[in-house]
Each structure stands twice: as structure tokens, then as C-alpha cells.
Amino acid sequence: MDIEKPIIELRRVTKSFGRQRVLDDLDLRIERGKTTVIIGRSGSGKSVLLKHIVGLLRPDRGEVYFEGRRIDTLNEKTLVPIRRQISFVFQLNALFDSLTVGENVGFPMTENTARQVPKAKIRELGRRCLDIVGLAGFESKIPPELSGGEKKRVALARAIAMDPPPKIILYDEPTTGLDPPRADVINKLIRHLQHEVHVTSVVVTHDMKSALEVGDRILMLYNGRFVADGSPQALLESDSPVVKRFIEGIAEPEELATISRHADFDGRR
Ligand SMILES: Nc1ncnc2c1ncn2[C@@H]1O[C@H](COP(=O)(O)OP(=O)(O)OP(=O)(O)O)[C@@H](O)[C@H]1O
Ligand SMILES: [Mg+2]
């Protein structure tokens, strides 16, 4: 295995929806075994970027590579064995409400027809993964009975319950909606998986605390481009006004301008 070769590479990727350009000539090389964090405001294109990595979206221009192989031109069928090596924790969890928690967690393994994993092994691995995320004993519940944070943790358990384990885990907002101690558990879990299982992680988040805790490298997406790329420390020391405002949680001037344009809003009746 060529260690130097990035596990994922995006070359000059551009993606628009109608007249809205979301990704603008974007280059990205994801290093194997590291945790790469992508931050950016809501609507900046973080989820769109992740979807390009698994082929759920295709670029208008540019190329996407997985382990050196171009994947943005592959059809759905050819993508299947590639997607099996990538775990995607969706922003909205995407659990099946009619299946139990245990069945949800085991689903990717039962679905893998190329490799029959024995039922007992699926159950055992599922139980261990639920235990890791702090949901031991939740197997027979169904998702509508769970809190938002519990659903999130089920989705995480499902992402790691793969046999063989995934080469890459893509996390879309893994800590959003969790209370601080639970968010801390997830951050530690992401770290643990990196160190123990040597999985490569890409974490999309607007939770700065989480970004700084889990990231070996943090990139900030803004107007379709990366405006920051470096270690957590480098990000904290950035003198870019856009980066600073994001870190400090301060609105962009144009957002405030929108509010003042509607300053008469309350007196509308
Ligand atoms: N399938 C689509 N069709 C049309 N527009 C889309 C589609 N997917 C995303 N967009 C638009 O692209 C922009 C970026 O969306 P994206 O979901 O990547 O944002 P995000 O950075 O993940 O935001 P958040 O932090 O709120 O999840 C948004 O303005 C969104 O409305
Ligand atoms: Mg998103």
C-alpha cells in the first residue's frame, strides 16, 4: 500500500445547484489514518462535499479519487464495493423507523451480499458497538422511541459495526444536538477509532470544540473554497477575519445587514 498516496482526493471540483455555486474549483487530499475536519457555516457546502466522496453527488467539473481510482465517473453498480469500504454517518441519522436498534446497527452487514456474515456475529458486533456508544441494552427499541442524541449514537454504532471495518468514516455533524458530556464521548470515540482501528476520518462540523479536539487537520470552507487549512493550533492563530469570526461565533457583516434591512419588522402590523 502506498502510504504517500491520499486515500481520497478531489481535484478542481466544482458543483452548482442552479445558479448557486457551492463548491468552486476545490482541491482536497485526505491523508490516510488521520482525522480531517471540515468546518464552515450552515449552507457552506460541507454535506455536499461529503456526498461527493461517496458518489452520492457528482461534480459538474473536476474529479474524485478513492485510493487513486477515479470514482466520479463510475455507475452505481461499480460504486457498491467502494461504498462498502466507506462508512457515512448522515447528518439526519437515516435510521429505519420500522427496524429495531439492533437491526439498524446490523443492517450494513446483513445487506452485504458479497460476504455472508453469520447472524450471531452480526448480533455480537452490534452489541459491542452499541456498548461503545453508551447504548447497551437498547437493541429491541425502535428509533421513534429514542431521543435525538440517542438516534445519533445509534447511527454512529451502525457506522462502526462493519466487518471488515470501514477504511474511512465520514461523519456529518456527529455532535450536533448532543449535550456536552455526550458530545465529549463522541469526540473521544472518533479519536479512539483512529488510534485503535487506524481508520481515516473526515468530520464535518460547526462545533468548534469538537473540531479542535478531534482534528489533526482542520479546513474551513467558505464561498466554495478553503480559506483555512492546517493544525488546530494554526487555525486558532489564523489572522483571516472570516476564520476569526467563525471561531468566535460572530456573524458575517452581510448577515447583520439583512437584519438591519428588516429593522421595521416588528412594526409591520
Ligand atoms: N440536492 C440539492 N439541490 C439543490 N440545492 C442543494 C442540494 N444540496 C445542497 N444544496 C444547497 O447547497 C448549499 C450547501 O448545502 P450543504 O447541505 O452542503 O450545507 P452544509 O454546509 O452542510 O450546511 P449545514 O451546516 O446546515 O448542514 C445549501 O445552500 C443547499 O441549499
Ligand atoms: Mg450539512
Side-chain angles (χ1 to χ4, degrees), residues 95-104 107 139-144:
L95 300 175
F96 299 105
D97 282 352
S98 57
L99 299 183
T100 65
V101 165
E103 287 163 346
N104 265 286
F107 188 77
E139 284 87 346
S140 49
K141 290 201 176 225
I142 52 168

Side-chain angles (χ1 to χ4, degrees), residues 17 20 22 40-49 51 57 91 172-173 204 206 221:
F17 296 106
Q20 180 191 13
V22 177
R41 297 170 16 173
S42 178
S44 60
K46 303 181 299 298
S47 296
V48 166
L49 175 64
K51 286 176 187 164
L57 284 174
Q91 188 163 7
D172 199 348
E173 304 282 359
V204 153
H206 40 221
L221 194 56

Side-chain angles (χ1 to χ4, degrees), residues 40-112:
R41 297 170 16 173
S42 178
S44 60
K46 303 181 299 298
S47 296
V48 166
L49 175 64
L50 279 191
K51 286 176 187 164
H52 278 80
I53 296 177
V54 277
L56 288 173
L57 284 174
R58 292 172 197 266
D60 300 331
R61 282 203 305 278
E63 295 141 34
V64 182
Y65 295 84
F66 176 73
E67 295 193 315
R69 177 177 182 195
R70 185 161 178 193
I71 59 164
D72 60 284
T73 46
L74 300 180
N75 63 29
E76 284 294 312
K77 192 160 169 275
T78 331
L79 270 173
V80 169
I82 290 168
R83 287 203 182 121
R84 221 164 254 149
Q85 304 173 58
I86 306 177
S87 212
F88 194 152
V89 186
F90 289 92
Q91 188 163 7
L92 296 172
N93 304 326
L95 300 175
F96 299 105
D97 282 352
S98 57
L99 299 183
T100 65
V101 165
E103 287 163 346
N104 265 286
V105 172
F107 188 77
M109 287 184 284
T110 47
E111 206 200 16
N112 187 347

Side-chain angles (χ1 to χ4, degrees), residues 5 30 50 87 184 203 229 245 254:
K5 200 167 61 187
I30 306 268
L50 279 191
S87 212
D184 189 44
V203 181
D229 178 2
R245 278 196 292 270
E254 58 267 31

